[in-house]
Amino acid sequence: MKNLAFLLIALYCAHTTQAQSIPVKTAKALDAYVEVANKCIANMTKAMDCLEGFNAASLNYKENQQDGFRSYKTACIDFVDDYYLKTAKERSVALASGERQQVDKAYDAMLSVYKNIVDKCREMEAYVNLQDYQQDAEQEWVKGKLSEIQKEYIQFRAAKREMDKIIYAVYRKYQKYNPNNINHVAEQKMRDAIKLEAEMMDKWAYNLNPKIPVAGIPNTELIQNINQMDSMFQRTEIPKVSLFYKQFVFQLYHGSQKSKRYWLDRNIYENQLNDGHANSGYKAFVNELNNAAISFFNKFCSSNDDFGGVTITEYSPVFILPEEAITPKPEPVEYEEIDITPISPQPVSKTIPVEAAFALNSYIEFVNNAVRVSKNIPRMCESYNRSVISAQENGRKPSRFHYDYPDIPLSYYQTALFNSKYVPEQYRSVLNKQAKQIWQVFDELQQSTKQLELSTYEKSDIEPTYEFIFGRLERIAHLIDQFNYQTDALYNNLRLVYESYSKDKSDTWVKTGLDMTALMDESRDIVEKMYSYIRDSSGVLPSIDDLNAKARTAYLNKHDNLDPINTSRYGTSASTIERFYNEIIDGSKKIGELSQLGFDANPSKTAPAAEVYDKFVYQYNHMIEFYFTNLVEVPDEQISEFEYFNPYISFKPTSLLKHQKKMIFYDFAAPSDKAPEAEQPEPEADAQNVDDLYTSMDGYAINHLVLLLDVSSSMNSADRLPLLKESLKRLLGIMREEDKISIVIYSEKAKAILKGESCKSSKVIKELDKLNSEGTTHFNQGMELAYEVADKYFIDNGNNRIILATDGQFNMGSAQYKFIEEQAAKDIAMSVFYFGTEPSENMMKMAESGNGKYSHITPENADLVLVKEAKAKEEE
């Protein structure tokens, strides 16, 4: 026993020696140099905002001779606190003479560059305080000084990295890498990950003049980095060596990977028009790398009882001063048709590997995100198509087309291609070709909508001829059809590959998945049959007998399926999983019930076919996004993020296949009259009066306009809420400082987002830009709140007017009409802007009771009726 105890002690001592072989004082000496460098980097990072502002003030002075320098009377940067310099000097004596000379030489070179930066910033401080800019009209001195500082930033990074090499060499001299020591392995993996991050960041720079876009986000390098990080950390066992290592992995992999996808996917056309988006991303990455990842690495080295290493310096940013802009051209590149051979998978006796299921689901995630960002395009184009035909028939100019992409699924597309290495080789090429084809179609679609928007912009270089607009709309309709066709083809192949594997039907999750997948499949089948019924006029409604039978089976099997789930094992709640289960049953039954209504699924008798079909697509996609995908991801995530280091979870993924979302169609409507534009009739007199009304507000009563806005999801069409927002912005141009505006919105609930604000306040535009449409309609609360606001900010002898904007129909009682009449008697009028497809008698009666005007809003009359409301009362 004594020999065994002695052996254990010896082994423990050997392990400790392997983990910590560099003397503590030597490590602390090297750490002190690192700390000084990090203080410099922190100051330089912070100074970039100041330098950008100084540059903007200089450019403004050059262009407008306006003095905006008062904020820069102190230098943008200062020296590092003497405490850190003194500590580095005191601790350096622990190094051997030769080592200290080497490190000091590189350290002094780095500090010399930093001193140059501080000195040059102080010269700028003197330039401001002595008002030398008054003798520098062209701002040549500022331009030269910023250029000098830019070069010093680059030189500092080079000097810092030279010091890094020497410190690392000294460190490795004492502490050799031991691949058998888990702490050494973890440390090296962190160093490798930080190196990858730095290599990606080196392809980027902060633009000190973001109005001139040149740098942008380095898409290729960012995609490569995402894939490299996935290779390093995805589905690999994480050693439980330290809390700091856990935090490092969580931040750099789970946090930074999401951040990279965020900035990459939002690098859309609008964000490429200046480098503001790229600058924000650059600062975010520098902050995440320095203050999170490297910070956790340094704590791992300096505060880990089982390991003593040497800390590392943070990432040193640089900036650029561009003079010539690179403007992206939104010229759509037509997709190339790719020859795709069919696949015929052979049955496989084993269950699908986790990696293969993950790869198949990556393709589906790509398509689902493409649908997410473009799902409203069909309805927007159909609505715009109608308005352009109307404008052409009445001899008016076409209104502006507007569609905002929140992001594009570029990272999801690249992830699908990267993960395809886990797909069996015989299918990989075909699936990647299909994904590429979908991406090309999607890319042309987004560029086509952007070109259509830019061509109809007031200051567009492209003449928005009807021929051009109709041609682009027709192409968009084709692209949407191609997108739907290609995505269906991809999903069918993914299902063939997935179904070729055997299923372990004794597994709880497999049994649950089979029942849920059967219901989703039936729902998808009904949606596809309704497409034929609605668009192709098949005249045959789908049978829902199989769906109801499978819904019944799933419900009867529910407790047998879900009771064996061990919540501690899966790191989730059984009640949550049961909710997903129930919602899928209910959702599929709802699709079945809707299908039996045919066109009556949409109560509006004049609704276009696509809007009827949208009822089914919306319900199906909703089931995928909120229920089925969540059910799949519970077992498919290897370990919950929050349980990443919980040793009590024995996780067994089951690898269900997700369902792929669908998008509605858009039926292009050709113009009825293709006569040359020169032969178009003269504009109606009423339309010509818009310009006359926009002259000024002189002679009219002071306004308090309370906009009561329906922001339910149905108001999202281009000719509804977005149209009203554009008209309101134009109206604000003639309104006076004393004119007031309030905005009350209602959908799920009522909310006053502006109260009695001056029409000249910048808040008005900001709040209008924030408005979006979602949810259902609850009118009564909104009306009550609107009258409260109108009463509170009432203007004596003014034009106190509530303007209701909606596409809905409300059941109004006699008491409500009487209330509106009473308020009108108190000089609070109500007008109604109606966007619905059919005339509304109760809307007309509401406006009549409110002593206001009822107007059916179209793109052609929106400006006219709005400005008339603002001029409804003359000055007394």
Side-chain angles (χ1 to χ4, degrees):
M1 289 295 293
K2 289 182 179 180
N3 290 336
L4 177 60
F6 179 80
L7 179 61
L8 290 173
I9 293 171
L11 287 171
Y12 174 79
C13 292
H15 170 79
T16 305
T17 303
Q18 289 173 339
Q20 173 71 57
S21 51
I22 183 172
V24 174
K25 289 186 177 181
T26 303
K28 287 187 175 182
L30 298 175
D31 287 344
Y33 289 110
V34 169
E35 189 168 23
V36 171
N38 288 345
K39 294 298 178 182
C40 294
I41 292 168
N43 289 347
M44 290 169 62
T45 304
K46 185 178 179 181
M48 287 199 305
D49 282 336
C50 179
L51 293 172
E52 181 185 356
F54 189 90
N55 183 54
S58 173
L59 294 174
N60 184 49
Y61 187 82
K62 178 181 176 180
E63 294 172 4
N64 306 310
Q65 296 299 301
Q66 292 181 352
D67 183 358
F69 288 109
R70 61 178 60 89
S71 299
Y72 305 98
K73 290 188 175 183
T74 57
C76 291
I77 195 171
D78 209 341
F79 285 112
V80 175
D81 194 299
D82 285 342
Y83 167 80
Y84 300 103
L85 301 174
K86 182 180 178 182
T87 301
K89 186 175 182 180
E90 289 175 349
R91 292 184 179 177
S92 67
V93 297
L95 300 175
S97 177
E99 296 167 351
R100 185 167 66 251
Q101 288 179 355
Q102 278 187 304
V103 178
D104 278 347
K105 182 179 179 181
Y107 171 74
D108 291 341
M110 179 193 72
L111 283 184
S112 176
V113 178
Y114 183 78
K115 181 180 181 300
N116 290 341
I117 295 173
V118 174
D119 289 343
K120 293 180 189 303
C121 286
R122 289 182 173 182
E123 290 175 30
M124 289 166 55
E125 175 189 0
Y127 176 85
V128 172
N129 283 283
L130 298 176
Q131 298 183 332
D132 289 350
Y133 51 84
Q134 295 180 354
Q135 286 76 47
D136 185 21
E138 294 301 313
Q139 294 292 286
E140 290 296 329
W141 186 91
V142 173
K143 181 179 177 182
K145 192 58 58 181
L146 287 173
S147 181
E148 291 174 13
I149 296 173
Q150 175 199 7
K151 293 174 183 176
E152 297 289 356
Y153 263 69
I154 296 172
Q155 183 58 35
F156 177 88
R157 178 193 281 179
K160 184 213 70 134
R161 287 181 175 175
E162 185 60 30
M163 186 185 76
D164 290 342
K165 292 178 184 177
I166 296 171
I167 288 176
Y168 184 73
V170 174
Y171 169 55
R172 280 290 175 238
K173 175 182 174 182
Y174 290 97
Q175 188 150 291
K176 306 294 183 184
Y177 174 68
N178 180 2
N180 297 317
N181 186 291
I182 193 65
N183 288 285
H184 284 226
V185 173
E187 182 212 17
Q188 190 57 50
K189 193 162 188 176
M190 287 190 283
R191 284 182 178 272
D192 292 343
I194 291 169
K195 182 181 178 183
L196 288 177
E197 295 290 271
E199 288 173 351
M200 183 270 291
M201 292 297 296
D202 285 352
K203 306 295 183 182
W204 204 348
Y206 190 85
N207 186 345
L208 223 57
N209 190 4
K211 292 182 179 180
I212 300 179
V214 290
I217 292 176
N219 285 9
T220 303
E221 288 77 11
L222 200 53
I223 290 166
Q224 182 183 14
N225 176 273
I226 290 172
N227 292 337
Q228 287 172 324
M229 286 294 173
D230 277 347
S231 295
M232 184 175 290
F233 291 107
Q234 194 178 78
R235 286 182 299 280
T236 58
E237 184 178 353
I238 308 298
K240 304 174 181 65
V241 294
S242 164
L243 174 63
F244 298 124
Y245 184 67
K246 170 188 174 180
Q247 291 172 319
F248 177 91
V249 173
F250 191 87
Q251 171 60 39
L252 197 62
Y253 183 63
H254 293 293
S256 292
Q257 290 290 83
K258 289 179 181 177
S259 179
K260 290 167 195 169
R261 294 179 187 279
Y262 175 89
W263 294 103
L264 178 65
D265 291 349
R266 281 160 181 77
N267 193 28
I268 55 179
Y269 181 82
E270 287 92 338
N271 288 334
Q272 295 175 32
L273 296 178
N274 65 63
D275 277 346
H277 176 75
N279 278 356
S280 297
Y282 186 82
K283 287 193 292 186
F285 286 170
V286 170
N287 180 65
E288 288 173 356
L289 182 56
N290 288 345
N291 297 334
I294 291 178
S295 174
F296 291 134
F297 173 87
N298 287 343
K299 289 175 181 177
F300 176 86
C301 292
S302 60
S303 305
N304 188 353
D305 292 338
D306 297 324
F307 178 77
V310 171
T311 57
I312 61 173
T313 60
E314 295 174 354
Y315 184 80
S316 182
V318 296
F319 62 85
I320 56 174
L321 280 162
E323 295 183 359
E324 295 184 10
I326 298 176
T327 304
K329 299 291 184 183
E331 293 296 328
V333 178
E334 291 194 4
Y335 72 91
E336 297 178 5
E337 291 191 15
I338 300 175
D339 184 30
I340 299 172
T341 56
I343 63 172
S344 300
Q346 298 299 313
V348 182
S349 58
K350 65 177 182 178
T351 58
I352 187 170
V354 175
E355 294 80 6
F358 181 82
L360 297 180
N361 279 330
S362 293
Y363 291 105
I364 296 174
E365 278 296 290
F366 156 52
V367 173
N368 286 352
N369 278 279
V371 173
R372 171 182 59 83
V373 301
S374 54
K375 63 183 178 182
N376 291 325
I377 290 178
R379 292 186 66 175
M380 295 280 286
C381 288
E382 190 163 88
S383 174
Y384 185 71
N385 197 162
R386 293 196 303 268
S387 72
V388 173
I389 289 175
S390 174
Q392 185 189 40
E393 290 174 348
N394 290 282
R396 301 181 185 130
K397 288 185 178 181
S399 58
R400 184 183 178 188
F401 177 86
H402 181 70
Y403 185 78
D404 278 331
Y405 276 88
D407 53 52
I408 55 176
L410 177 58
S411 68
Y412 293 92
Y413 167 59
Q414 293 293 338
T415 295
L417 297 184
F418 177 74
N419 288 327
S420 68
K421 62 188 177 183
Y422 300 119
V423 174
E425 190 173 356
Q426 64 267 36
Y427 314 129
R428 194 179 307 156
S429 175
V430 173
L431 296 179
N432 283 345
K433 283 182 179 179
Q434 288 185 291
K436 181 179 179 181
Q437 183 79 93
I438 292 168
W439 173 257
Q440 288 182 350
V441 172
F442 173 85
D443 193 45
E444 186 186 345
L445 178 61
Q446 62 137 341
Q447 294 298 338
S448 294
T449 56
K450 181 51 60 180
Q451 187 190 53
L452 187 59
E453 177 178 333
L454 294 176
S455 68
T456 57
Y457 186 58
E458 292 175 1
K459 298 179 181 179
S460 172
D461 295 332
I462 304 173
E463 182 65 29
T465 63
Y466 285 109
E467 182 181 3
F468 171 84
I469 292 173
F470 285 124
R472 185 49 57 199
L473 286 171
E474 189 171 16
R475 180 64 180 177
I476 289 173
H478 168 76
L479 291 170
I480 292 171
D481 284 344
Q482 274 297 306
F483 179 85
N484 288 330
Y485 171 76
Q486 298 292 348
T487 53
D488 282 348
L490 172 63
Y491 185 68
N492 290 336
N493 276 344
L494 293 173
R495 284 299 297 264
L496 287 174
V497 175
Y498 176 74
E499 296 296 346
S500 68
Y501 291 91
S502 64
K503 307 290 188 297
D504 179 9
K505 296 183 180 179
S506 64
D507 186 281
T508 297
W509 279 108
V510 171
K511 291 191 293 183
T512 301
L514 288 173
D515 282 347
M516 294 296 97
T517 299
L519 278 175
M520 293 299 298
D521 288 346
E522 287 294 331
S523 298
R524 186 180 186 87
D525 184 59
I526 287 176
V527 172
E528 290 172 348
K529 288 177 179 176
M530 290 308 298
Y531 175 91
S532 299
Y533 178 83
I534 293 168
R535 193 180 194 191
D536 300 337
S537 303
S538 69
V540 179
L541 290 174
S543 169
I544 60 173
D545 292 344
D546 287 345
L547 184 144
N548 288 336
K550 289 176 180 177
R552 179 179 177 82
T553 299
Y555 188 82
L556 293 175
N557 290 344
K558 181 175 72 170
H559 295 295
D560 288 339
N561 286 341
L562 300 184
D563 284 351
I565 291 177
N566 184 330
T567 56
S568 64
R569 172 188 174 193
Y570 291 102
T572 188
S573 167
S575 62
T576 301
I577 298 170
E578 184 175 1
R579 183 170 68 85
F580 299 152
Y581 195 103
N582 289 337
E583 292 286 359
I584 291 170
I585 295 174
D586 293 342
S588 61
K589 290 174 68 177
K590 183 174 182 180
I591 287 179
E593 291 166 1
L594 281 173
S595 71
Q596 302 310 290
L597 299 175
F599 279 95
D600 289 336
N602 190 319
S604 175
K605 295 180 181 179
T606 59
E611 287 192 25
V612 180
Y613 182 60
D614 191 28
K615 293 289 183 181
F616 299 91
V617 170
Y618 174 82
Q619 180 64 29
Y620 176 69
N621 288 350
H622 183 81
M623 288 166 60
I624 292 173
E625 182 171 358
F626 293 100
Y627 308 120
F628 191 75
T629 295
N630 288 330
L631 192 67
V632 172
E633 288 180 348
V634 168
D636 262 2
E637 289 179 0
Q638 276 193 301
I639 297 177
S640 166
E641 290 179 6
F642 300 104
E643 304 292 344
Y644 217 89
F645 284 81
N646 188 335
Y648 301 105
I649 290 183
S650 174
F651 199 87
K652 180 185 175 185
T654 308
S655 305
L656 300 176
L657 189 72
K658 297 182 180 182
H659 261 244
Q660 191 164 279
K661 292 182 180 179
K662 300 181 78 69
M663 187 158 69
I664 64 171
F665 56 85
Y666 156 44
D667 281 329
F668 169 72
S672 56
D673 181 11
K674 295 188 177 180
E677 292 183 39
E679 299 177 14
Q680 293 172 357
E682 291 295 319
E684 297 174 5
D686 207 24
Q688 291 177 323
N689 290 337
V690 178
D691 293 334
D692 297 335
L693 285 170
Y694 267 122
T695 52
S696 80
M697 291 294 297
D698 292 344
Y700 293 94
I702 303 302
N703 284 284
H704 178 214
L705 302 180
V706 181
L707 305 177
L708 176 55
L709 305 181
D710 177 355
V711 292
S712 60
S713 56
S714 61
M715 286 287 285
N716 199 36
S717 297
D719 59 352
R720 298 186 181 185
L721 185 60
L723 171 65
L724 180 61
K725 287 163 63 174
E726 292 300 321
S727 295
L728 283 166
K729 289 177 182 179
R730 286 190 283 272
L731 174 66
L732 292 174
I734 64 167
M735 298 295 269
R736 299 155 296 194
E737 189 76 31
E738 56 269 30
D739 288 319
K740 306 298 182 185
I741 189 169
S742 299
I743 300 178
V744 175
I745 60 174
Y746 68 93
S747 58
E748 298 291 348
K749 61 180 180 179
K751 180 181 180 182
I753 60 174
L754 272 183
K755 294 181 181 180
E757 195 71 42
S758 168
C759 286
K760 292 300 182 183
S761 170
S762 61
K763 290 182 182 179
V764 180
I765 296 291
K766 289 180 181 179
E767 291 301 331
L768 285 174
D769 286 339
K770 290 179 186 177
L771 286 177
N772 54 49
S773 306
E774 58 183 11
T776 55
T777 303
H778 289 82
F779 168 69
N780 290 335
Q781 294 178 1
M783 186 181 76
E784 291 173 5
L785 182 57
Y787 275 109
E788 286 180 18
V789 174
D791 182 64
K792 183 174 181 180
Y793 295 92
F794 184 85
I795 297 174
D796 291 333
N797 300 318
N799 181 29
N800 299 282
R801 185 171 300 270
I802 295 172
I803 300 176
L804 166 64
T806 182
D807 63 349
Q809 301 260 5
F810 312 119
N811 294 320
M812 299 284 289
S814 57
Q816 290 171 300
Y817 288 120
K818 184 177 180 181
F819 173 76
I820 294 173
E821 289 176 0
E822 291 172 351
Q823 294 299 314
K826 296 178 182 178
D827 205 20
I828 299 178
M830 172 179 273
S831 292
V832 177
F833 285 8
Y834 186 60
F835 293 85
T837 54
E838 293 187 3
S840 172
E841 291 186 8
N842 60 344
M843 295 290 106
M844 295 178 187
K845 186 176 179 180
M846 191 184 302
E848 183 181 348
S849 301
N851 196 25
K853 182 179 179 182
Y854 168 87
S855 301
H856 182 257
I857 304 300
T858 66
E860 291 71 42
N861 71 1
D863 288 354
L864 179 67
V865 296
L866 185 59
V867 74
K868 282 186 173 181
E869 291 299 323
K871 294 186 174 185
K873 187 174 182 178
E874 294 185 357
E875 191 175 34
E876 294 183 4

